[in-house]
Amino acid sequence: MARIPSAFVAASGLVGGYGVARWTKRRPLGGAVLAVAGAAAAQQWRKQAGNTAAGALTAVYVGAFAGSHPLAKKVGAWPSVLGVAGAVALASWAVADRNA
């Protein structure tokens, strides 16, 4: 079975979490999607790049989620979510996926 890149898992967690919360109108359900994808990505980060990198990328993931809220007030919700998801994917690729 092919491995799914951690960059894709992390970006999908941010986009999917927002999408689920928006379409179901249940924020906790979106939060669950965000958390499950974040935990899966963190596990991959730890295996591929070590504990320190996994901790840093987890902080980037959580920071992106938090930062998407004020950014959404300036550029809109979807552009904000897609922008931070792209940034997290790029960081994940650069730190963990590039050499995997």
Side-chain angles (χ1 to χ4, degrees):
M1 186 159 125
R3 184 184 66 81
I4 299 171
S6 63
F8 180 79
V9 174
S12 296
L14 290 161
V15 173
Y18 174 70
V20 166
R22 181 173 177 128
W23 290 316
T24 65
K25 297 183 177 25
R26 294 179 186 255
R27 292 179 72 166
L29 191 55
V33 171
L34 179 81
V36 167
Q43 186 176 35
Q44 283 185 266
W45 293 329
R46 193 171 23 263
K47 286 180 183 176
Q48 291 170 210
N51 289 332
T52 302
L57 287 169
T58 299
V60 169
Y61 185 79
V62 172
F65 167 69
S68 69
H69 292 83
L71 182 60
K73 293 179 181 181
K74 296 178 188 266
V75 299
W78 277 112
S80 173
V81 170
L82 294 174
V84 299
V88 168
L90 181 61
S92 180
W93 174 82
V95 173
D97 291 334
R98 179 173 40 175
N99 297 320

